[in-house]
Amino acid sequence: MEHPENSKEYKGLAVNSGVVQPDSVNPYFQAHRPRRQSLLTPGEYVEGIVKGDITVLSRAVTLVESLRPEHQAIAQEVIEKCLPYTGNSVRIGISGVPGAGKSTSIDEFGLHVLKDGGRLAVLAIDPSSERTKGSILGDKTRMEKLSVHPDAFIRPSPSAGSLGGVARKTRETIVLCEAAGFDKIFVETVGVGQSETAVHSMVDFFLLIQLAGTGDELQGIKRGIMEMADGIVINKADGDNIQKAEMAAQSFRNALHLFPAPESGWTPQVVTYSGFYGLKIKEVWDMIWAYMDFVKKNGYFQFRRNEQAKYWMYESINETLKNSFYNNPDIAAGLEQAEKNVLGGQQTSFTAAQQLLSRYFESLK
Ligand code: GDP
């Protein structure tokens, strides 16, 4: 082979003439390659799930998370067939900044709620997957005790797609978990607002984990997130930190008083605890169970679930319409020009939008 780099004028590294590469295919490789699991029928998935078979449940969740249309078709059928077996659970959203102690706490909370029997599923919505394709919550096993508990099922956040898409998959996974007999569902998230809204729209109780710190606890927490909370807990109330945690709790209580009364009729409470040392875990859960009793009696529990069901119907419609519009080839071709026209001042944003929408509706005829 000609290597101009090897001529005398060339001052860089010389290139050795090549050797014939051995065949890269190991003839024995095929035999050892793990075979793809074949799909079950929707009926088989449902049967396995209803029996509480975790392996089948995991495989069904994988289908829910899959972007392939043929997987989605099966997943939707399975979800629909599981619906009659769902609804008999408590769903609790847990949020806090990285380092607030979510995994440590969820480990302890999980053991606490499993003491009375039942099964717990821990799901997650990781908002970072949308923007950075990375992960804040992490894929490593973060809950060491729960991950080996026979009655716990831990599933990391679905990773692909928009936050709305990820949230929808988590909500669908809740359906499957409930059908498999999980009567307690935790949905964990971390974020600065949007992912909390998504979690709030699928849980009965939204718990915000906070830390005592700078003396200016309320700084940096979006008002909207605090307003969503049904309970605020101050973690790491141990050792020298107990007094600071109590002070932080008091400032949260004061702040909560300034908010309008929540629709549930329940006044959000603030409790201190230590996830790491397992202190006052019972107090946290007494508060959560007191809330459940309260809203089940006054009808808000069912009201909130109905509102959520409606919300997700509209979310689904919105998402499908949006995808249909942006994935339409006519639109994709016209968007760039429309953008230029708007930026160049030849068209207003409104007329450009109207034109594209008309083109879209035309293409449907
Ligand atoms: P996450 O990012 O919210 O999941 O937080 P982690 O559960 O990973 O905890 C972050 C750090 O805080 C770890 O080093 C924990 O050991 C520590 N931590 C968690 N809970 C407590 C607690 O109750 N007390 C103390 N002192 N440290 C804690």
Side-chain angles (χ1 to χ4, degrees), residues 119-174:
R119 300 176 100 189
L120 166 71
V122 182
L123 312 176
I125 293 181
D126 192 330
S128 53
S129 51
E130 183 181 23
R131 262 172 299 136
T132 61
K133 311 276 179 246
S135 143
I136 302 179
L137 291 174
D139 299 326
K140 64 185 160 63
T141 304
R142 297 158 65 239
M143 295 119 200
E144 286 171 8
K145 295 174 198 162
L146 279 185
S147 59
V148 294
H149 197 293
D151 298 318
F153 173 69
I154 302 178
R155 185 87 187 184
S157 174
S159 57
S162 63
L163 177 59
V166 168
R168 182 174 65 102
K169 287 169 189 184
T170 302
R171 187 176 146 88
E172 291 174 343
T173 301
I174 293 180

Side-chain angles (χ1 to χ4, degrees), residues 18-259:
V19 291
V20 178
Q21 289 291 323
D23 200 349
S24 67
V25 176
N26 174 348
Y28 303 105
F29 179 69
Q30 194 63 24
H32 294 288
R33 204 170 61 175
R35 279 208 276 148
R36 272 203 169 180
Q37 276 183 324
S38 55
L39 296 175
L40 305 177
T41 65
E44 286 167 336
Y45 281 111
V46 177
E47 199 189 314
I49 290 171
V50 172
K51 265 200 278 177
D53 184 328
I54 300 284
T55 314
V56 177
L57 172 66
S58 298
R59 289 178 60 183
V61 174
T62 305
L63 285 191
V64 166
E65 292 172 354
S66 166
L67 297 175
R68 291 172 59 175
E70 66 270 29
H71 290 170
Q72 274 304 310
I74 303 176
Q76 291 309 320
E77 195 176 334
V78 173
I79 292 165
E80 201 129 288
K81 291 201 165 115
C82 280
L83 278 178
Y85 304 99
T86 64
N88 301 319
S89 71
V90 286
R91 307 167 185 165
I92 290 151
I94 299 176
S95 175
V97 295
K102 289 180 298 304
S103 22
T104 314
S105 304
I106 290 173
D107 228 6
E108 288 300 317
F109 290 166
L111 295 183
H112 180 82
V113 299
L114 285 171
K115 265 196 287 200
D116 304 328
R119 300 176 100 189
L120 166 71
V122 182
L123 312 176
I125 293 181
D126 192 330
S128 53
S129 51
E130 183 181 23
R131 262 172 299 136
T132 61
K133 311 276 179 246
S135 143
I136 302 179
L137 291 174
D139 299 326
K140 64 185 160 63
T141 304
R142 297 158 65 239
M143 295 119 200
E144 286 171 8
K145 295 174 198 162
L146 279 185
S147 59
V148 294
H149 197 293
D151 298 318
F153 173 69
I154 302 178
R155 185 87 187 184
S157 174
S159 57
S162 63
L163 177 59
V166 168
R168 182 174 65 102
K169 287 169 189 184
T170 302
R171 187 176 146 88
E172 291 174 343
T173 301
I174 293 180
V175 170
L176 302 186
C177 290
E178 288 184 358
F182 287 86
D183 58 343
K184 294 161 194 95
I185 314 276
F186 291 175
V187 186
E188 176 191 7
T189 196
V190 52
V192 284
Q194 278 166 325
S195 67
E196 274 86 357
T197 310
V199 171
H200 187 258
S201 66
M202 62 181 82
V203 296
D204 307 312
F205 186 98
F206 187 80
L207 185 73
L208 183 60
I209 300 184
Q210 289 292 325
L211 293 176
T214 56
D216 198 5
E217 277 73 28
L218 304 182
Q219 225 186 23
I221 307 174
K222 290 229 171 109
R223 187 193 153 107
I225 298 180
M226 266 186 79
E227 260 173 302
M228 266 188 273
D230 300 298
I232 295 177
V233 284
I234 318 289
N235 188 20
K236 309 194 187 181
D238 43 56
D240 296 345
N241 210 28
I242 293 182
Q243 208 186 348
K244 264 206 271 177
E246 282 306 330
M247 278 162 55
Q250 198 48 49
S251 56
F252 276 110
R253 284 184 199 113
N254 295 341
L256 283 169
H257 273 301
L258 304 175
F259 290 164

